[in-house]
Amino acid sequence: MATNDKPHYNTDIPKFDYIYDLLSWTKDTACDTDAYRYFVGNKIQSSTYGQFFDRVNALANVLDEDGLLSSHVAMIGANSFPYLTVYLTMTAGDGVFVPVDKELPPDDLLHVLSDSDSEAVFCDGKYEELLVARRAEIPAVKKIINLDRETDDGDLLSFSSYIARGYALSDAGKCALKDRRRAPNTLALLVYTSGTTGNAKGVMLSEKNMLSCASYGLEISQIPGVGLSVLPYHHTYEIVACVLATIFCRSTLCINDQLSHILKNLQIFKPDYMFVVPAFLELFYKKLWSTVRAQGKEFILKAALASSAALRKLGIDKRESLFKSVRDSFGGNLKKIGCGGAPLRPELGDFFCSIGMEVYNGYGITECSPLVSVNQEGSIDCSTVGVPVRCIDITFENPDSDGNGEICIKGDTVMLGYYKRPDLTAEVLTEDGVFHTGDYGRMNARGQLLVTGRKKNLIVLDNGKNVFPEEIENYLAAIPYVQDVIVFGIKDEQGQEVALGAECYLSDDKLKEMKIADPEAALKKDIARACKPLPSYKRVSRFYIRPIPFEKTTTNKVKRTSCMFAFETVKSTPMEV
């Protein structure tokens, strides 16, 4: 529930023109503070801000000696301490860093390396064989630096020996980064979007884009103490909004080693904050309630939630003690959860806020570095995506009768364009720097942004009503055993969209847990119940149970093109609601 009427900003957050200056500042002001904690095998190691600054300089020295510091350099692999070293070294110099999605199929992965003009590739060991076998397809690549290799073999290099050369150069007095600066509005980070449709595009971001995203985002919400880094580093949300923001705060970032280890690592690192996508909150939420029911404590938790809500209305906050056992399952210290990358069901955010783990729901897009808006301290409202960062202006193009228009953004976080694709750039970015997001939304009276759906997904019914399927999907996703859902328009013989249908993929485990013997009958009843608060034209009238999972992007978003019924690749008759 929002408590402040208008946006407020903490303008004391420092501003930097260059990432190198930011790193130098952390060495001067937090030299002995742990910057990173990470696993090496089963042991946890750490690096202070002072040590990390020296490490970045060492890697820059050897890259410079090999003529690569000003080049395009790619990275393929899991989140790791070396990954962050490469990222911050390249963006602190005058070259271009290319984080590559490690889940891409081989053809797509090689396409990104070729299209990005990368001259060197840092990679986990398992990618070396592919890169060597298909070297002819990436002729610009001069060196492959393998994080797992122990010895060098020609231009196949060991990362450990490579950076050791850099430290030796540092000891000899070399400092390649000291006077290395790029113009603030030139390319520094080249990120290939996965997207839910179409081919990947290379989004060009500058140092100014990245630094503005982090510092102006922190004006809205700060991150204290210790964080757990879980989202993949090829995702701009994590590598800019989380990693850079942590450096600004001189906080300690702990690197999660595997997604399957998140709950275990929450216990090990006991973080104060983390950044996630809604799919993680869904997982945490369902697992939590499943555990509570199995323990026979569902009534107790619901009573505690009601009691806590009543006390908070009187200005008494007992969440820390009332929900200690629940909070302990997340490490005990988790206070702030940044959430973005996809729409969030408001009730999910409200639940975690109600137990003292506040969810700061936000909105972003890779082309905006990625942050556009986020909920702020004292004004959390998870039905919105918060207030805009101060360095941008938002306008709404061609608003409808409800005030929903295409969200257009101008300001310091807007990309330079798409790499080598001026045609695609011109489709979304005007000559005076206004970026058309392709998302619809509006602003409420408190200055908070509401995102209502994607322009390309808009359903226009034959009665003239506009329906954003994402809104209806949020209602249906609240059904416990609905794992994923897509809402689509049902067309008549003339091709007019006359009603709404839903294609649902159900969780077998949840059906068994809830002892549902007839999923069709249960889903019919639950869809009707879920849609009851909606006006009649927004209610789903037919549904189809999908036999296989939806195809997803590597950031876990459902590809709408994989909807079988809507695209008539399945001729089965749907069930009536």
Side-chain angles (χ1 to χ4, degrees), residues 453-504:
R454 290 289 291 168
K455 181 178 180 180
K456 64 187 177 185
N457 299 335
L458 182 67
I459 298 169
V460 182
L461 298 175
D462 62 342
N463 60 7
K465 295 288 188 180
N466 291 344
V467 177
F468 295 100
E470 295 90 344
E471 177 190 3
I472 320 302
E473 288 159 4
N474 262 339
Y475 282 86
L476 302 186
I479 300 170
Y481 52 86
V482 172
Q483 188 162 318
D484 289 302
V485 58
I486 286 180
V487 169
F488 55 89
I490 299 170
K491 296 181 180 180
D492 63 14
E493 293 180 355
Q494 287 73 44
Q496 295 288 316
E497 292 177 313
V498 296
L500 300 180
E503 185 173 324
C504 305

Side-chain angles (χ1 to χ4, degrees), residues 181-199:
R181 297 291 187 274
R182 64 167 69 80
N185 285 311
T186 55
L187 178 60
L189 181 67
L190 182 54
V191 182
Y192 282 78
T193 62
S194 56
T196 52
T197 59
N199 294 324

Side-chain angles (χ1 to χ4, degrees), residues 288-338:
L288 190 156
W289 278 107
S290 179
T291 301
V292 167
R293 291 189 187 102
Q295 295 172 345
K297 296 180 179 179
E298 184 175 5
F299 175 79
I300 296 173
L301 179 54
K302 287 181 177 179
L305 288 167
S307 175
S308 176
L311 288 170
R312 290 175 69 197
K313 287 180 180 178
L314 298 174
I316 303 170
D317 190 347
K318 293 289 185 180
R319 288 176 294 175
E320 189 169 340
S321 57
L322 277 173
F323 305 105
K324 183 179 185 305
S325 61
V326 176
R327 290 161 54 85
D328 282 349
S329 66
F330 293 91
N333 296 330
L334 191 60
K335 304 176 187 70
K336 303 188 76 168
I337 303 173

Side-chain angles (χ1 to χ4, degrees), residues 55 82 86 122 145-147 149 157-163:
R55 181 178 172 88
V86 179
F122 289 79
I145 303 100
N146 185 335
L147 271 57
R149 177 179 271 278
L157 307 178
S158 157
F159 178 80
S160 58
S161 62
Y162 197 68
I163 198 167

